[in-house]
Amino acid sequence: MCGAELHALPEGVQRVAALLQQRGHPHTPVMLDDAARTAQQAADALGILLGQIAKSIIFRRKSDDVAVLVITAGDQRVDERKVEALVCPDGKRLGRADAEFVKVRTGFSIGGVSPLAHATPPVTLIDQSLFRFEEIWAAAGHPHGVFKLSPQQLVDLTGAPVADVVVDPVQEQVSQQHAINLVAARARQIRAESVNLPSPCISVCRMSTLTGWCEGCFRTRDEIAGWSQASDGGKRAVWNLIEQRIVALQA
């Protein structure tokens, strides 16, 4: 890639392209016609399998406010508990990384976070399931920008360890059914009550990226935050929503 071509790219892609060039990587970033803010959009645009997209997920480590980057296959879901066990030796947890945190720490906007050329080097982990493929594609610092590489090249470029960081679908199903059983039993017990309704919390405090509900009590963030101030009628309405969500999950 010549200097003129490099400067024609968005700033984030320029940083990625410059680093790839410096490291002698054989594939330069390409710009897609349409934005690829999700792994599925990128896979569709490139005509490849969803799992071949190396998506970058950013977390915030609560103990020191450091960014934690998990590079995972597009068809997998990150298991925060596994990541916490690897990057939180003090026993503290990972927090949600909002758009501002991601931008400040990485220099990229959500939807275009590259696995390399970050503004501040993150703690990085690579999902071992990416090694199912000989060829993968990663974001290049912009929602339209991507670049090709192999899983081993990803390791070489980032220096990050490879680990099991994704959800086990069998264990996930078992855990979800356990939570459903506990919360459903509590819902049946309080149907006749009209005051002092108990919280549905069962001490499993993880928000599902698929539903937006807590995986333990099946409430939204807003419902959890507003519970202590809610009236008995408001709490009853939330319990009714929880029962509806449990039915939908089991359908």
Side-chain angles (χ1 to χ4, degrees):
M1 175 175 288
C2 71
E5 290 173 324
L6 182 60
H7 288 296
L9 297 171
E11 189 275 334
V13 183
Q14 289 184 38
R15 296 201 335 258
V16 174
L19 181 56
L20 292 175
Q21 190 175 54
Q22 177 186 340
R23 301 289 296 276
H25 187 68
H27 304 293
T28 57
V30 297
M31 299 298 290
L32 303 174
D33 291 336
D34 297 314
R37 295 184 182 276
T38 68
Q40 188 63 66
Q41 288 173 338
D44 291 344
L46 292 165
I48 60 176
L49 297 174
L50 179 59
Q52 289 179 268
I53 297 298
K55 62 183 179 181
S56 295
I57 310 296
I58 298 288
F59 297 97
R60 179 177 60 83
R61 190 162 63 185
K62 292 184 176 180
S63 60
D64 54 10
D65 218 33
V66 165
V68 175
L69 167 64
V70 181
I71 309 167
T72 184
D75 60 354
Q76 301 294 312
R77 289 180 57 214
V78 174
D79 188 329
E80 291 187 33
R81 291 166 296 183
K82 292 181 179 179
V83 178
E84 286 171 346
L86 293 168
V87 305
C88 299
D90 55 7
K92 294 188 178 180
R93 304 185 66 178
L94 295 174
R96 177 175 173 267
D98 60 21
E100 181 180 4
F101 179 89
V102 172
K103 182 66 174 179
V104 170
R105 292 297 192 278
T106 71
F108 306 118
S109 298
I110 292 175
V113 177
S114 169
L116 43 87
H118 286 219
T120 303
V123 174
T124 304
L125 298 172
I126 296 173
D127 168 20
Q128 65 184 14
S129 75
L130 283 166
F131 283 78
R132 292 171 291 163
F133 307 103
E134 293 183 5
E135 175 188 297
I136 58 176
W137 288 76
H142 187 276
H144 289 255
V146 292
F147 69 99
K148 182 168 67 173
L149 70 170
S150 71
Q152 186 56 52
Q153 286 171 332
L154 178 61
V155 173
D156 295 340
L157 288 165
T158 62
V162 178
D164 173 13
V165 292
V166 298
V167 171
D168 179 334
V170 175
Q171 185 57 48
E172 180 182 34
Q173 186 174 18
V174 170
S175 297
Q176 183 183 76
Q177 191 58 53
H178 178 65
I180 286 174
N181 292 343
L182 287 176
V183 177
R186 188 176 297 178
R188 289 193 294 271
Q189 291 173 355
I190 68 166
R191 280 176 185 165
E193 299 178 17
S194 58
V195 296
N196 299 322
L197 295 178
S199 167
C201 180
I202 61 171
S203 299
V204 178
C205 302
R206 291 186 305 276
M207 301 307 294
S208 169
T209 56
L210 293 178
T211 64
W213 310 330
C214 172
E215 294 179 4
C217 66
F218 311 105
R219 291 179 293 176
T220 66
R221 290 184 187 275
D222 288 345
E223 289 165 355
I224 294 170
W227 182 265
S228 62
Q229 302 300 318
S231 65
D232 287 318
K235 291 178 180 179
R236 169 63 65 193
V238 172
W239 268 109
N240 289 339
L241 286 173
I242 290 170
E243 290 194 86
Q244 293 172 22
R245 290 164 185 165
I246 287 174
V247 170
L249 287 171
Q250 295 180 305

